């Protein structure tokens, strides 16, 4: 949630503080150019300067001080929520029981936030598709010898493509919160070479899902609270060595992460689509569609766009 705190801080500076500053500077110039009425000892200029001083004081107290107070409070609350969520996630790391609880919880919060977002659905139906945001946190794994499977530079073209696809097809701003490479460690093969479809579900319920939960909570800690609560939940993207028979995989609304092949990550935009869909195996038969099974598509039908924009991962804030 610290990311949201920072974005709000920047919004206040750009949309409120900056326009007020520009208005004040403009008023100063007008006051300087105003002709003095000598009969009242330039009283007309007094009132002008008094207005500027009052605005400057109010701006400092309400905006400058206020934004920092809000930011400190926001960060404090964020840290507390992330710590509590991190403690709760220890239970969710337990293979089978904990992982099934996590899948059920993901389903519940997805339903809740889709209901909350019905107003946005109505707006989308009438063509009022206000820009929304989707956040991701990318984690690059290392192989058994400690070598990273790819690099941020190698992933950047794919990230740029995904940003363009989501902006043009769904009016969604894709935000990459962070790209992390895990520290050298003895990752087991099952974390590097994963399956998809029913095999992905089995992986998630067993040790692989537990390990991914631990890695996500460690490296994408700022998103732990949001992932648990659901609102503006970042999608964790794992760059793995191999996905059997696929180039990417997602469990849809049952999970909050997707996997892509590190050496061939072109399905990133497609898998993010699955993460925001109602059913993870849903594909479209049009090669130009984002949800076409072989990836590469860049378009969405209106009904697909509405469904995805109502996801817990895609919000106005």
């Amino acid at each position: 949630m610290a990311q949201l705190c920072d974005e709000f801080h920047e919004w206040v500076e750009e949309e409120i503080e900056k326009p007020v500053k520009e208005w004040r500077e403009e008023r100063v110039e007008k006051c300087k150019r105003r002709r003095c009425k000598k009969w009242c000892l330039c009283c007309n200029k007094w009132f002008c300067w008094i207005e500027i001083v009052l605005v400057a004081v109010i701006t400092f107290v309400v905006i400058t001080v206020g934004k920092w107070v809000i930011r400190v409070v926001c960060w404090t609350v964020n840290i507390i929520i992330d710590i509590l969520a991190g403690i709760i996630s220890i239970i969710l790391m337990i293979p089978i029981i904990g992982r099934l609880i996590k899948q059920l919880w993901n389903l519940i919060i997805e339903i809740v936030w889709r209901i909350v977002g019905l107003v946005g659905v109505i707006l989308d139906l009438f063509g009022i598709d206000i820009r929304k945001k989707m956040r991701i946190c990318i984690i690059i794994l290392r192989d058994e010898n400690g070598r990273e499977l790819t690099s941020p530079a190698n992933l950047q073209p794919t990230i740029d493509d995904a940003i363009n696809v989501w902006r043009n097809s769904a009016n969604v701003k894709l935000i990459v919160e962070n790209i992390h490479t895990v520290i050298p460690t003895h990752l087991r093969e099952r974390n590097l070479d994963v399956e998809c479809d029913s095999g992905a579900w089995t992986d998630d319920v067993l040790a692989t899902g537990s390990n991914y939960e631990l890695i996500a909570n460690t490296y994408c800690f700022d998103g732990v609270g949001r992932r648990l609560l659901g609102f503006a939940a970042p999608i964790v993207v794992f760059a793995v060595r191999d996905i059997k028979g696929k180039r990417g995989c997602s469990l849809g609304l049952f999970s909050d992460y997707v996997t892509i092949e590190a050496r061939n990550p072109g399905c990133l935009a497609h898998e993010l689509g699955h993460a925001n869909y109602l059913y993870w195996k849903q594909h479209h038969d049009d090669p130009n569609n984002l949800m076409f099974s072989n990836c590469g598509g860049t378009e969405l039908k209106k009904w697909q766009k509405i469904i995805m924009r109502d996801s817990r991962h895609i919000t106005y804030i």
Side-chain angles (χ1 to χ4, degrees), residues 129-146:
D129 56 341
I130 302 170
R131 174 68 58 88
K132 283 191 167 186
K133 299 176 182 178
M134 171 170 56
R135 298 167 174 83
I136 63 174
C137 181
I138 300 175
I139 298 178
I140 300 171
L141 301 183
R142 294 178 184 266
D143 64 19
E144 298 92 339
N145 298 315

Side-chain angles (χ1 to χ4, degrees), residues 188-200:
R188 296 184 179 181
E189 185 176 348
R190 61 169 170 261
N191 298 330
L192 301 170
D193 304 320
V194 297
E195 298 189 27
C196 198
D197 299 328
S198 60

Side-chain angles (χ1 to χ4, degrees), residues 8-24 54-72:
F8 177 77
H9 187 90
E10 292 170 2
W11 179 84
V12 171
E13 288 183 337
E14 189 66 26
E15 302 297 330
I16 300 178
E17 190 171 21
K18 184 178 178 180
V20 171
K21 182 180 179 181
E22 291 173 350
W23 176 87
R24 190 170 66 247
L54 286 175
V55 170
V57 172
I58 294 173
T59 300
F60 177 77
V61 174
V62 177
I63 299 179
T64 305
V65 175
K67 74 177 181 181
W68 281 105
V69 170
I70 292 174
R71 187 173 192 178
V72 170

Side-chain angles (χ1 to χ4, degrees), residues 11 14 19 38 53 68 76 99-100 102 106-107 109 123 149 179 184 200-201 208 211 219-220 225 251 262 277 295 307:
W11 179 84
E14 189 66 26
K38 296 181 179 180
V53 171
W68 281 105
T76 303
R99 300 308 298 157
L100 286 173
K102 179 64 184 291
N106 283 331
L107 176 61
I109 59 177
L123 292 175
L149 299 179
I179 302 179
W201 182 85
T208 300
N211 291 332
Y219 289 92
C220 302
L251 285 175
Y277 231 175
C295 304
I307 289 175

Side-chain angles (χ1 to χ4, degrees), residues 25-40:
E25 291 174 350
E26 183 181 338
R27 291 294 296 170
V28 168
E29 291 301 317
K30 287 184 177 180
C31 287
K32 289 180 179 178
R33 293 194 303 266
R34 183 171 292 182
R35 296 182 61 181
C36 172
K37 294 182 180 180
K38 296 181 179 180
W39 63 269
C40 67

Side-chain angles (χ1 to χ4, degrees), residues 26-210:
E26 183 181 338
R27 291 294 296 170
V28 168
E29 291 301 317
K30 287 184 177 180
C31 287
K32 289 180 179 178
R33 293 194 303 266
R34 183 171 292 182
R35 296 182 61 181
C36 172
K37 294 182 180 180
K38 296 181 179 180
W39 63 269
C40 67
L41 301 178
C42 299
C43 60
N44 59 317
K45 300 192 74 169
W46 298 353
F47 295 123
C48 184
W49 287 108
I50 289 173
E51 177 187 8
I52 292 172
V53 171
L54 286 175
V55 170
V57 172
I58 294 173
T59 300
F60 177 77
V61 174
V62 177
I63 299 179
T64 305
V65 175
K67 74 177 181 181
W68 281 105
V69 170
I70 292 174
R71 187 173 192 178
V72 170
V73 172
C74 184
W75 268 78
T76 303
V77 173
N78 164 70
I79 292 173
I80 293 173
I81 292 177
D82 281 342
I83 291 174
L84 292 176
I87 294 173
I88 294 174
S89 69
I90 295 175
I91 299 174
L92 304 179
M93 293 178 197
I94 301 174
I96 303 179
I97 298 298
R99 300 308 298 157
L100 286 173
I101 293 174
K102 179 64 184 291
Q103 289 187 2
L104 178 60
W105 179 249
N106 283 331
L107 176 61
I108 292 172
I109 59 177
E110 179 70 25
I111 294 173
V112 169
W113 287 112
R114 283 189 179 274
I115 293 174
V116 171
L118 285 178
V119 173
V121 172
I122 295 173
L123 292 175
D124 287 347
L125 283 170
F126 284 97
I128 310 174
D129 56 341
I130 302 170
R131 174 68 58 88
K132 283 191 167 186
K133 299 176 182 178
M134 171 170 56
R135 298 167 174 83
I136 63 174
C137 181
I138 300 175
I139 298 178
I140 300 171
L141 301 183
R142 294 178 184 266
D143 64 19
E144 298 92 339
N145 298 315
R147 294 189 296 262
E148 58 183 31
L149 299 179
T150 186
S151 67
N154 290 338
L155 290 178
Q156 195 58 53
T158 299
I159 294 171
D160 292 339
D161 287 343
I163 290 173
N164 291 330
V165 168
W166 278 93
R167 181 183 63 242
N168 297 331
S169 65
N171 196 21
V172 170
K173 180 180 180 181
L174 178 59
I175 300 172
V176 180
E177 293 190 344
N178 270 304
I179 302 179
H180 300 281
T181 301
V182 299
I183 60 175
T185 183
H186 298 293
L187 281 176
R188 296 184 179 181
E189 185 176 348
R190 61 169 170 261
N191 298 330
L192 301 170
D193 304 320
V194 297
E195 298 189 27
C196 198
D197 299 328
S198 60
W201 182 85
T202 303
D203 283 346
D204 185 63
V205 170
L206 299 176
T208 300
S210 299

